[in-house]
Structure formats: C-alpha cells, structure tokens
Amino acid sequence: MVQAEAAGFKVAYSNQAFEYWFILHFEDHKGGPMPRADYHNRINGYINPLGASYDGKGNKTVTSAFFDALDGFDTVKRETRIQLAVNRAGRIHGQCKKAGISPAKSESCTTVYQLIKRFLKYR
C-alpha cells in the first residue's frame, strides 16, 4: 500500500475480506474482530429474505439480485443501504486512523467507502 500511494495511486482495502464491505450495508458493526468464516452466513442472513443469495465459499459472484439488495433502501433507517455502508465504514476507518492502527492490523475496517463516494457523484 505504501508503494502504491508513493506512486500516486489511491488504495481501497477491506480487512479481513471484501465481504466486510457487503456486511456494512446491513449491519452497524462497530469495527474490531469479526471472523471471516462468519461472513458468508451473515451476508446470506440479510439477503436471502430479499430474494438473493451469495456463494462466498465458491465463485463469489455478485448476482444482479444481490446487487439490488445492496442498492436497496432500508425502511427502518430511512436511507439507502449504500449510504449506510459508506457512513459506517467511514466511522470505523476514522476510529482506526485515530488509534494509529495500520491497514494490515485494522480488523475489521474498509476504505472501499472512499471509492464508492466518488462513484455516487455520477449516479
């Protein structure tokens, strides 16, 4: 990551795995350890009732039904799930930075929200 940034590239990471970003669309996780083995069941627990599924142990394909679930509206929070995930990830990332925790040690944390914020400008 240091080399990429030194070369002028921005880096989006998700530690322990990219699936953590998916979970933040549905769950207000506070950061800290979450076993990677739990990701698959957690994700499906949220998206199966919405008519989608995720094979996190196989090809890890994000189907259109899964994407629609991620892009949906949370009627309880009254926000889009993407905005909820952006806010949650930003808060957790800020906590990690404030505590001086390196990306390699910042479990669970993601900076994918920074990339998504850029994409949302063109929506």
Side-chain angles (χ1 to χ4, degrees), residues 15-85:
N15 192 4
Q16 280 190 13
F18 187 75
E19 284 84 354
Y20 183 64
W21 167 247
F22 296 155
I23 290 168
L24 291 177
H25 286 71
F26 301 95
E27 184 176 323
D28 191 11
H29 189 256
K30 304 298 183 196
M34 178 190 299
R36 188 184 307 202
D38 292 352
Y39 289 3
H40 178 258
N41 289 335
R42 274 187 142 136
I43 291 168
N44 277 304
Y46 291 119
I47 68 172
N48 288 167
L50 301 172
S53 64
Y54 179 63
D55 180 12
K57 297 178 181 180
N59 63 17
K60 299 188 177 205
T61 299
V62 176
T63 64
S64 59
F66 183 14
F67 187 79
D68 289 344
L70 294 173
D71 194 35
F73 189 79
D74 185 305
T75 57
V76 174
K77 298 287 186 183
R78 306 196 52 74
E79 279 191 85
T80 63
R81 289 191 190 99
I82 291 174
Q83 193 58 54
L84 288 169

